[in-house]
Amino acid sequence: MRILRRLVADRRVPVWYHSSYRLPLPALETAAGVEPRRADFVLWMLERMRILGPEDLRTPARASYADLARVHDAAYLEKLLDAETLGRIFAADPSEVPVDEVLNTVRLACGATLGAARESLSRRGAALNLLGGFHHAGPDRGGGLCPVNDIAVATAALRAEGFGGQVIVLDLDAHPPDGTAACLAADPRAWIGSLSGAHWGDLPGVEERVLPERAGDATYLAELARLLGRMPRPELAFIIAGGDVLDGDKMGRLGLTLDGARRRDLDVLAAVEGAASVWLPGGGYHPDAWKVLAGTGLALAGRGRQPLRRRVDPLQLRFSRIFGELEPGQLGRLDLNLEDLEAELRGAPRVKTRRLLDYYTAEGVEYALHRYGLLDFLGRLGYGPFRIAVEPSSSGGDRARLYGRAGGVEHLLVEIAVEKRVIGTERVLYVHWTTLRNPRARFSAGHARLPGQDAPGLGLAREIGELYERMARRLGLRGVAFRPSYYHTAFAARHRMQFTDPARQGRFEAMVRDFQEIPLDRATIAVADGKARLNGEPYAWEPDEMLALLDPPVDPERAPAVAAAREAAHFTLADTAEPDTIPA
């Protein structure tokens, strides 16, 4: 009862986070199925739910190379300075790996695990690091999105500081802790327990249990109870509360529900009650993997039974908050701007400044991109300073271009063409095209050229989509519409937009369902090349209009029509390869 009372009571939990936790690897989301914003999403949600206050937030210092060298070979650490090595670890082409920024993120996460361990030992409680659990990194190698082993680095640093207590590593990621086993092999007071869905051979020193595919909640939790029963009493516990255990995860395939993952965390929390513990996210390749990590935060804060809203979108909530903070005059609505005022003071003829959709000045657009965080991310890719150009579009409406300098050259990074248009009975923001370009990166075998691309993308499609909705709302329009020319452009918009025709929406949902095991680049190229089959017959992509209404009306007939079309449609590809696997 004492433990139960403590688990249900609110607790303050230190949370370690840095704004650079999002890796500056634009292709990571599509190539590996990783949500690169996971740490941001969890932070924003815990703040919004008043679980996390400013007094709970910790900013990490980067792990020193002296700390890393206690675990990793000098020759290997030197290799990490090479874009080729990092590209292999993160399944990215070396041309799109900004080495300094990637290593900055990795060292911050590693430093946070060490800082969280020190604080946990001092207060005999739990701490949460929103990035870490790099369990595939061994002393002389990295892989599976794991360049260094943060748990081993933290353990070695604490040992050097005189800590001799029992350390346990409870690895509840869906993949085995091969790197951690190698790193801690010589530590007699380190115990490793693993519950995974893959067998990679015997791992010396690991109490390992391998579950069948789609084991489900009951089987998983029963096996977890047996593993916890064999676990020694820790003085310091590292728990990798992996997000890749969810049913539908493309790499994990253990078949847990979100409720099952939350119960896992509560069971472990009860088992390590009274000991210092550091909780880490590990892998996750499911759209809801961030919810697993948020659930871990709720469990640690004594809110283990508090649910997350099923359809909550942290990016939308974040952008809505920033939208409410921006004053119209900051974006350009005022009839007389600074340039006009200066012209009048000089007695010069007043020249009307070109505005995007008769509202946004170039300065206003740049300021908005800064406030929403897009320019910071582009800066981490190596671009800046930036310049915005606004001009009429040949397709109607206006065109805005974002340029950024790199290597002494100004590059076009973003181009949009938009206008106000009536779709059906609704006046909406119509998007003729959106171009997101990372011109210094190159296409490769692992990062194919998608239809319509002349350069790899920036990984900002979701952010741009949210910005379109904010523009529509500010301009008094009812929504946003566009006509996707390819499968991948509709796929990127699927979170917020639907095809106006219910039958077309149903067929699209069926395609997403049937192609979920196929990497997006392969699927969209195959569809564009005419290799898609609908119920066995050749299928040509239908570039119909998609629409996102800001306040959609209730249409009781639409959902059944979409569902009927979805269930009647079954898609296959005439020629596909096996999906890549990037376990972490």
Side-chain angles (χ1 to χ4, degrees):
M1 289 301 295
R2 181 182 64 85
I3 291 177
L4 179 61
R5 284 195 300 271
R6 292 189 65 182
L7 287 178
V8 299
D10 286 355
R11 305 193 241 195
R12 310 313 304 180
V13 177
V15 175
W16 293 74
Y17 165 86
H18 196 280
S19 59
S20 292
Y21 269 11
R22 178 177 179 176
L23 281 161
L25 298 170
L28 192 63
E29 185 172 5
T30 54
V34 174
E35 173 51 79
R37 312 164 188 84
R38 175 170 62 169
D40 298 324
F41 284 2
V42 173
L43 177 79
W44 299 339
M45 285 306 302
L46 293 181
E47 288 178 334
R48 183 179 178 85
M49 298 173 72
R50 303 185 187 280
I51 303 298
L52 176 65
E55 69 278 10
D56 306 313
L57 195 60
R58 306 290 187 269
T59 301
R62 298 193 303 174
S64 70
Y65 277 105
D67 287 332
L68 299 179
R70 289 191 176 96
V71 172
H72 297 287
D73 295 348
Y76 173 64
L77 291 177
E78 186 172 341
K79 287 181 182 178
L80 287 179
L81 303 175
D82 180 24
E84 294 279 349
T85 300
L86 291 174
R88 176 184 58 79
I89 292 171
F90 288 104
D93 188 84
S95 65
E96 61 180 1
V97 177
V99 172
D100 288 353
E101 284 294 334
V102 170
L103 288 179
N104 183 58
T105 294
V106 170
R107 291 176 63 191
L108 284 168
C110 192
T113 299
L114 175 55
R118 286 173 175 149
E119 182 172 2
S120 293
L121 284 169
S122 69
R123 60 193 296 272
R124 308 303 298 177
L128 175 63
N129 182 10
L130 298 183
L131 181 63
F134 303 139
H135 61 165
H136 295 311
D140 59 354
R141 61 179 174 80
L145 312 183
C146 301
V148 298
N149 197 300
D150 56 313
I151 291 175
V153 169
T155 301
L158 293 171
R159 297 299 195 211
E161 295 167 5
F163 174 68
Q166 176 70 58
V167 171
I168 69 112
V169 179
L170 193 58
D171 193 325
L172 303 179
D173 185 277
H175 301 95
D178 55 329
T180 306
C183 291
L184 296 181
D187 190 329
R189 299 218 67 196
W191 177 91
I192 304 173
S194 172
L195 195 61
S196 71
H199 183 60
W200 292 356
D202 293 335
L203 296 178
V206 178
E207 183 83 25
E208 184 177 15
R209 291 294 179 268
V210 179
L211 297 178
E213 185 170 326
R214 298 182 62 83
D217 292 351
T219 299
Y220 184 97
L221 293 171
E223 194 61 51
L224 174 63
R226 286 188 280 271
L227 181 63
L228 294 174
R230 293 187 292 273
M231 180 183 73
R233 180 63 186 169
E235 291 184 58
L236 173 61
F238 293 97
I239 296 104
I240 303 181
D244 53 2
V245 296
L246 288 183
D247 187 26
D249 187 280
K250 63 184 293 187
M251 304 295 182
R253 303 178 181 177
L254 278 172
L256 268 65
T257 64
L258 281 169
D259 181 63
R262 185 81 67 89
R263 287 161 59 197
R264 171 200 70 181
D265 293 347
L266 289 171
D267 288 350
V268 174
L269 183 60
V272 299
E273 178 73 12
S277 61
V278 177
W279 296 67
L280 303 158
Y285 311 91
H286 186 284
D288 284 343
W290 73 267
K291 294 182 180 178
V292 175
L293 183 55
T296 300
L298 288 171
L300 297 180
R303 303 281 192 90
R305 303 302 178 188
Q306 183 169 344
L308 289 166
R309 288 188 0 232
R310 181 171 174 269
R311 299 184 64 85
V312 65
D313 185 342
L315 188 65
Q316 181 189 14
L317 296 174
R318 173 76 168 183
F319 276 34
S320 294
R321 183 183 66 76
I322 297 172
F323 173 85
E325 294 172 353
L326 290 171
E327 296 292 334
Q330 297 170 321
L331 304 177
R333 190 186 71 176
L334 299 179
D335 293 333
L336 189 66
N337 64 21
L338 184 58
E339 293 178 10
D340 297 332
L341 181 59
E342 290 177 346
E344 287 199 1
L345 291 175
R346 295 195 310 268
R350 180 176 172 183
V351 178
K352 184 174 178 60
T353 301
R354 183 75 196 186
R355 299 170 188 264
L356 183 68
L357 299 173
D358 294 322
Y359 190 103
Y360 297 94
T361 64
E363 288 291 331
V365 172
E366 184 175 349
Y367 180 70
L369 294 177
H370 160 70
R371 284 295 308 276
Y372 286 106
L374 275 67
L375 296 188
D376 287 343
F377 183 73
L378 294 176
R380 297 184 66 211
L381 298 183
Y383 296 104
F386 302 100
R387 179 174 67 90
I388 301 286
V390 177
E391 58 190 18
S393 170
S394 59
S395 301
D398 295 310
R399 178 173 63 182
R401 291 175 169 176
L402 168 65
Y403 297 90
R405 295 191 67 83
V409 178
E410 186 174 66
H411 300 274
L412 174 63
L413 305 179
V414 179
E415 181 179 60
I416 66 170
V418 292
E419 72 169 322
K420 301 171 186 177
R421 178 182 287 189
V422 175
I423 300 295
T425 61
E426 307 292 356
R427 193 163 176 261
V428 300
L429 175 68
Y430 193 86
V431 181
H432 288 285
W433 73 78
T434 303
T435 302
L436 305 174
R437 307 173 70 251
N438 187 7
R440 298 200 302 162
R442 64 172 181 257
F443 296 109
S444 64
H447 188 181
R449 182 193 302 269
L450 301 183
Q453 283 189 322
D454 67 348
L458 292 168
L460 294 174
R462 286 193 64 186
E463 284 82 356
I464 294 295
E466 290 293 337
L467 287 181
Y468 282 143
E469 292 200 20
R470 306 294 160 259
M471 290 174 64
R473 189 172 297 277
R474 198 170 294 280
L475 295 171
L477 303 175
R478 288 277 293 132
V480 182
F482 87 122
R483 186 182 293 267
S485 299
Y486 307 103
Y487 172 59
H488 68 276
T489 52
F491 186 88
R494 74 193 187 284
H495 296 284
R496 301 290 297 153
M497 308 187 80
Q498 292 199 351
F499 286 95
T500 55
D501 176 21
R504 175 69 183 94
Q505 177 64 24
R507 289 191 294 276
F508 173 65
E509 291 182 7
M511 181 175 283
V512 172
R513 176 199 65 207
D514 296 338
F515 292 168
Q516 63 182 327
E517 296 295 327
I518 302 171
L520 178 61
D521 57 350
R522 294 181 185 172
T524 194
I525 291 170
V527 172
D529 289 346
K531 295 180 179 179
R533 300 290 183 265
L534 172 57
N535 297 331
E537 298 297 323
Y539 174 79
W541 176 254
E542 306 165 77
D544 300 318
E545 285 173 342
M546 295 186 83
L547 175 66
L549 291 177
L550 302 180
D551 301 298
V554 177
D555 183 356
E557 298 181 359
R558 180 175 173 85
V562 170
R566 180 179 62 245
E567 297 309 311
H570 298 280
F571 285 90
T572 57
L573 293 180
D575 181 23
T576 62
E578 289 296 318
D580 294 330
T581 57
I582 309 174

